Structures are given as structure tokens and as C-alpha cells.
């Protein structure tokens, strides 16, 4: 604490010539004036900023009248303030009193007044000043603080370069206090950020708050108040935010503790009155097919005594993006429950984490490929319709051999021992003019949990099958052909159609699995 500040807390000491007397007694000593029974009196308790008087009484037990002089001290060590005291013309055997008027302290403290030479002392406890909402507290050294409004919110929207949601933790509420603060003194930094606090909870001191305004709160749309911006001759108004347990609202107050002693100078009682209390629960799907819409359900119950606005947000993070998905609000009447449905959709396969505030729930949604039966189509995000099949009419798709055309006839290839060939027909069609077609390596088959890739025929140019069915090998670099196109796989000899799962996964350089679909045989 600065010495100047502390000495200012001791107040202005002024001495009046007010006189008083006690019972007349005979002189107990001859000779010069002699003073005994020196007393200091005054109130034992005052509030910060209130003016009070101190009286000093001395009795002359000497043989002549005279002036009583002494040093009145208060404070300790380097912060001691000494004041000369004089009581003139004290008659023999009489007591006389002088009054020090208009003393005050702008600090909550214990003031002990001492006249050491006469072992006289008196203590005045300067207590926290209690005020109500709307009242202004002014100090003698230039501070002016008014608490003009209070708002209670489970969460608030912050408006800046982007809209953000600030939420209280479960069991807590954000208390917004609207201040008007000014200063007319000569201190360059009259306030610090930790001087104004609530009697419970904690100050929300995010540095980024200074760039935001709040949406309509308690009927007032104002900016965040930064105490560090208060300068001499400057008055500012704005909100400060505190996070407080619901259980503390009934006795909640806001205080100014200017020297951080734990005993504040002033306390405003904040009558919260009837408040909304929200209990929310989110239900999130475990899986959603890509290209479709899943639903996160948010059940919001108001167990309080007043209507309130529940502000909520949903954020999505994933393999390729981190984006704010939803910011919205809903009014919930006391004793009722409202349901919010939040849509989630994704074109890419992968795990996406959703954070839901102020529920404070984070969960993972798996976006999985759709499952079709062979013969049904899937349209990928590039606008290509893909329709696969197994075999053809009167052909189950399995063969121990296949034959393809050569320049001088044909050549037959036999499957490896214990294996056979699987012929998968593939039909691709552009739906939006896209020039990109799936590569043959984007297709595989899964049999009993094992993956089998396309067999490359190792034929230069276009491979044309002649047995067991005619057609061409699927080629993503050619335009769709009128003739049948095939994908060829070598699979275990025991494989049946019902064992086969055909997988399409687009590999576009960003990820091994970005989008795709699965096909099974309808048994």
C-alpha cells in the first residue's frame, strides 16, 4: 500500500476549541499544571467513508491552570500519522475536552488513536459500507462506483469478429453486473482488475472479452468494462462477469476491495429474485451414414421460478475441418421442458467430435459409409452414380478361369490353388458433368474380414474378356462404355455370393478413406 493512500485513509484531523468540564476537585499537587485522566473517546464502529468525531479529555491535577499538549498518533510503523493536540486554559482540578471533527477513512480498516505519554487509546473499526442496487459509492480521494444493474444467464453470446458462446459450468450461473465507474484523482491507475469481485464465485477475466459486446442482457446492450481503462477524469459504464454457484445467489453481493485485504470497502447487495435454473441433457447418435442427416437432441428443463433464455452452441471438429456449427437460443418457461434438435451431416467417412455447450458434453459421432444391396446405386460427392453387381444373368460371378482377347486369338488364366475368380460388374454414370471417375483401386471386396484387391490382368491396352462372360475390364481413364465393364478379384474357392461385401472408398490424396459405400447381396 502506498503511504499516501494509507495516510489519506486516516482522514483530515481538525481541532475545535470545544470545551467541557468534569467534577471540580481540590488540587492534588502544587506547582505547574499537571495532567492526568487523559481519555480518547468516539464511536467504536463506523462505515467506510462516513465522517465521525474523536474527543480528547484531560484533567489538570496541578497547582496552576495551563494548556494540555500532546501528540495523537494513529497507524503503525512507516504508516504512522502524528497530530499535535492542544487544549487551552484547563483550570485546576477540572477536565476539559477538545473535539477532532470530520474524520473519515476511505478504507476498511481498524483505526487506533493513541496518546502514548498518557497511555490513552481508542479504536474505531471502519466497516464495509453496505449499499443497495442503484446506489453510488464515492470516496474522498476521487473514486465513484455505481452498481446499476444485474443479469443472470447460464450462457451469453459474445459479439466480435465472430459470435462466440461463453457458458457457466454445471451448477453455476454467469452473473453480469453493470457498473458506472469514474475517477477524479491523480492516480494514473486508480483501479486494478482484481479489486471488484462477488462474495461468491470468481471473476471471468478472459483477455479477449474487451473486444466483445454482449447481446441484450437485463434490457441493456453494452460493452464489457475493463477496469484498467479507467483514468483520471474518465467515467465508463459496462458489464463485468462473474461465475457463481446457483446456491449462493440468495446472499450474493458485489464488493470493492481496493487494497485486497479481504475486508472490502463497500458491498452492494444483489437481489437476484426469482431466477431460471436450467438442467439440460444431450442425446447423440453413435453412427450416422455419410450423406444423410443425424439428429442430436437437447432436452432443456427449467427447474427455476422464472422464465429464462437458454443459449446453446454445438461445435464440430474432424479430420478436415474445425467449424462452429450452431449458435442459438430458446426460451423456457418455469417448470417446463423444451426440446432442441440439432442436425449433423457429413459427406466424408470418419470420426467427428461434437462439443455441446453449456451441457459441457463432448462425444464422437462415427460417419459411416451407406450400405446398399448390389444392383442399387450410390452417388458420390463428385456426382458420379455407381451401380455394382455380382455376375450376370445365369452367371453367379464365380469362375476358376477367365479368358481374354489377344492379337492372335485368346488366352486363358487359371486361378491359384484354393482360389477362384469373382467377377463384379460396375456401371458408372456422371450426374453433374464431372470428369472424374473412381479408380479401379477404389474398389475392393471383403470376405470374412479379409480384404481382396482388384486383380490386374497385365494386358497392355484394353482388356476384353471373352470367358466366362464378355465385356471389358473397368478403366477409370476411359469414358463409360456401352459394353459390360468388370472388376476382377481372386477369392477363396469356398466363397459364396452372400459372403461378399463390396467396398468403394475414394482415395483423393487427403485420406485413405474419405467417402464411399458398401454393397451386400440380398439373400
Amino acid at each position: 500500500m502506498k503511504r499516501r493512500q494509507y495516510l489519506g485513509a486516516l482522514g483530515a484531523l481538525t481541532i475545535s476549541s470545544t470545551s467541557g468540564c468534569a467534577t471540580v476537585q481540590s488540587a492534588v499537587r502544587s506547582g505547574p499544571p499537571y495532567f492526568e485522566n487523559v481519555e480518547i473517546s468516539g464511536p467504536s464502529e463506523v462505515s467506510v467513508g462516513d465522517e465521525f468525531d474523536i474527543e480528547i479529555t484531560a484533567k489538570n491535577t496541578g497547582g496552576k491552570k495551563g494548556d494540555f499538549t500532546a501528540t495523537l498518533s494513529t497507524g503503525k510503523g512507516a504508516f504512522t500519522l502524528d497530530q499535535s493536540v492542544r487544549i487551552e486554559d484547563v483550570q485546576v482540578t477540572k477536565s476539559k475536552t477538545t473535539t477532532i471533527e470530520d474524520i473519515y477513512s476511505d478504507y476498511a480498516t481498524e483505526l487506533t488513536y493513541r496518546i502514548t505519554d498518557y497511555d490513552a487509546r481508542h479504536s474505531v473499526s471502519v466497516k464495509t459500507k453496505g449499499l443497495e442496487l442503484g446506489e453510488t459509492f464515492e470516496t474522498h480521494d476521487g473514486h465513484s462506483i455505481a452498481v446499476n444493474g444485474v443479469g443472470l444467464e447460464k450462457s451469453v453470446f459474445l459479439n466480435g469478429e465472430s459470435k462466440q458462446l461463453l457458458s457457466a459450468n454445471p451448477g453455476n450461473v454467469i452473473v453480469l453486473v453493470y457498473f458506472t465507474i469514474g475517477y477524479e484523482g491523480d492516480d494514473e491507475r486508480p483501479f486494478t482488475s482484481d479489486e471488484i469481485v462477488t462474495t461468491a464465485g470468481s471473476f471471468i477475466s478472459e483477455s479477449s472479452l474487451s473486444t466483445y459486446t454482449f447481446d441484450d442482457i437485463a434490457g441493456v446492450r453494452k460493452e464489457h468494462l475493463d477496469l484498467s481503462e479507467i483514468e483520471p477524469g474518465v467515467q465508463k459504464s459496462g458489464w463485468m462477469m462473474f461465475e457463481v454457484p446457483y446456491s449462493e445467489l440468495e446472499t450474493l453481493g458485489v464488493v470493492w476491495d481496493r487494497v485486497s485485504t479481504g475486508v472490502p470497502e463497500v458491498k452492494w447487495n444483489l437481489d437476484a429474485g426469482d431466477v431460471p435454473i436450467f438442467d439440460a441433457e444431450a442425446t447423440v447418435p453413435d453412427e450416422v451414414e455419410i450423406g444423410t442427416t443425424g439428429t442430436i437432441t437437447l432436452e432443456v428443463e427449467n427447474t427455476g421460478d422464472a422464465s429464462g433464455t437458454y443459449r446453446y452452441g454445438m461445435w464440430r471438429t474432424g479430420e478436415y475441418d474445425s467449424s462452429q456449427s450452431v449458435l442459438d437460443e430458446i426460451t423456457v418457461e418455469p417448470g417446463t421442458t423444451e426440446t432442441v434438435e440439432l442436425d449433423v451431416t457429413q459427406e466424408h467417412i470418419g470420426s467427428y467430435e461434437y462439443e455441446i455447450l453449456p451441457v459441457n458434453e463432448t462425444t464422437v459421432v462415427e460417419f459411416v459409409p451407406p450400405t446398399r444391396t448390389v444392383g442399387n446405386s450410390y452417388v458420390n460427392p463428385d456426382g458420379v452414380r455407381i451401380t455394382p453387381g455380382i455376375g450376370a444373368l445365369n452367371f453367379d460371378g464365380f469362375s476358376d478361369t477367365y479368358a481374354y482377347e489377344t492379337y492372335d486369338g485368346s488366352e486363358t488364366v487359371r486361378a491359384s490353388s484354393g482360389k477362384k475368380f469373382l467377377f463384379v460388374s460396375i456401371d458408372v454414370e456422371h450426374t453433374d458433368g464431372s470428369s472424374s471417375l473412381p479408380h479401379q483401386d477404389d474398389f475392393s471386396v471383403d470376405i470374412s474380414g479379409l480384404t481382396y484387391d482388384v486383380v490386374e490382368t497385365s494386358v497392355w491396352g484394353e482388356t476384353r474378356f471373352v470367358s466366362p462372360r464378355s465385356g471389358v475390364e473397368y478403366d477409370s481413364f476411359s469414358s463409360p462404355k456401352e459394353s459390360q465393364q468388370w472388376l476382377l478379384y481372386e477369392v477363396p474357392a469356398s466363397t459364396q455370393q452372400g459372403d461378399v461385401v463390396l467396398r468403394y472408398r475414394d482415395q483423393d490424396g487427403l485420406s485413405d478413406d474419405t467417402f464411399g459405400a458398401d454393397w451386400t447381396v440380398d439373400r
Side-chain angles (χ1 to χ4, degrees), residues 470-491:
S470 63
V472 297
E473 183 180 25
Y474 172 74
D475 183 356
S476 62
F477 297 103
S478 301
S479 299
K481 304 174 179 63
E482 295 181 2
S483 58
Q484 179 69 62
Q485 298 184 82
W486 297 102
L487 292 169
L488 184 64
Y489 299 91
E490 192 174 38
V491 299

Side-chain angles (χ1 to χ4, degrees), residues 26 36 74 105 301 353 364 445 454 467:
S26 301
E36 295 180 306
T74 188
S105 174
E301 181 183 9
E353 189 175 82
V364 173
V445 294
V454 171
S467 173

Side-chain angles (χ1 to χ4, degrees), residues 284-286 288 290 296 315-323 344-355 362-368 513-514:
V284 183
D286 294 328
V288 177
I290 60 172
I296 293 177
W315 282 260
R316 181 187 67 230
T317 60
E319 197 168 356
Y320 301 126
D321 69 342
S322 176
S323 60
V344 291
T345 186
Q346 182 57 254
E347 295 293 339
H348 296 98
I349 300 168
S351 299
Y352 289 81
E353 189 175 82
Y354 285 84
E355 181 181 10
T362 301
T363 188
V364 173
V365 178
E366 295 287 343
F367 284 89
V368 298
D513 295 334
T514 56

Side-chain angles (χ1 to χ4, degrees), residues 394-417:
N394 298 323
F395 173 47
D396 66 0
F398 296 105
S399 177
D400 294 329
T401 62
Y402 71 87
Y404 62 91
E405 290 182 356
T406 63
Y407 68 94
D408 58 354
S410 65
E411 185 170 334
T412 299
V413 178
R414 181 170 296 277
S416 304
S417 176

